[in-house]
Amino acid sequence: MVSNFSQNLKVFSMILQNFIVLEGIDGAGTSTQLDIIRNTPGTQRFLFTAEPTPSPVGRFLRQMLKGDAPVSNETAAYVFAADRNEHVNGRLSIDGDRHLSTGIMEACSGGYTVVSDRYLFSSLAYQSISCSPELPRLLNGGFPLPRLLVYFDIDPVKSLERIGGRDTREIYENAGFLRQTVEQYEKVLNEYSDPERCGGMEILRVDAAKPIPEVTEAITDKLREIGLL
């Protein structure tokens, strides 16, 4: 299985130089940091987005994540990939608050820097638990990689403490599943750490249990280092 994935990684030759992805388990703080970056000086040409998208496919996914639209694990992997295709290759759609709904490729080609809360790495981690790992890898094999992947490293117990006050829980938000997800993320990060395979994508790991300002500083320092801020 691993050898087959190693071959599939050769597909990931395209890097979107002005594309940044924030990844981590539920409650890691990716959404919080995305909002902070939005208000950071020098980000006037930044657009901000998230998966699932607000597209019709993304809206169905959100129902699925709430448990209101149960589907098989394999179907979920296909739907996540379909939503991502619209996110990347769909028509550019931006609202007045610099929120991008769809059209990452078009935005990056137009000189914007796009920051996304979740991307294909989420599918490789989450869907690899619930169905054959080869399926999400196959479905996501043609999408471009970001210039920078920021991984929010946190213990599931801490992350669940953070989301404990939410009115509703999503289907993946339980300690056992999130521990498996962390293990899968570690495998994904290891596989994507080879520069010969990933063509220049950098990975920044941040300790997401640290105070919010420290996490922000680590991210913005890296953005300045690579010339995106």
Side-chain angles (χ1 to χ4, degrees), residues 117-135:
D117 182 359
R118 298 196 178 281
Y119 189 50
L120 63 88
F121 312 99
S122 288
S123 283
L124 298 182
Y126 281 80
Q127 268 69 63
S128 291
I129 298 169
S130 53
C131 63
S132 167
E134 289 302 303
L135 180 58

Side-chain angles (χ1 to χ4, degrees), residues 21 52 65 93 178 181 205:
V21 170
L65 289 170
S93 175
L178 290 182
T181 307
R205 297 181 66 124

Side-chain angles (χ1 to χ4, degrees), residues 27-115:
T30 56
S31 299
T32 297
Q33 291 298 325
L34 184 141
D35 288 338
I36 291 173
I37 296 170
R38 182 195 300 273
N39 295 303
T40 298
T43 62
Q44 293 84 355
R45 290 288 293 176
F46 280 44
L47 299 176
F48 301 90
T49 189
E51 293 186 355
T53 72
S55 74
V57 179
R59 290 198 297 271
F60 173 79
L61 273 176
R62 293 187 185 278
Q63 291 299 111
M64 187 200 77
L65 289 170
K66 292 177 183 177
D68 295 337
V71 297
S72 73
N73 295 326
E74 290 75 16
T75 297
Y78 278 100
V79 178
F80 273 106
D83 186 48
R84 184 161 300 119
N85 186 68
E86 194 67 16
H87 198 198
V88 174
N89 297 311
R91 180 180 60 84
L92 181 60
S93 175
I94 309 171
D95 70 14
D97 196 29
R98 293 184 293 156
H99 179 264
L100 178 148
S101 296
T102 56
I104 291 173
M105 286 285 287
E106 187 176 345
C108 289
S109 298
Y112 288 102
T113 294
V114 178
V115 184

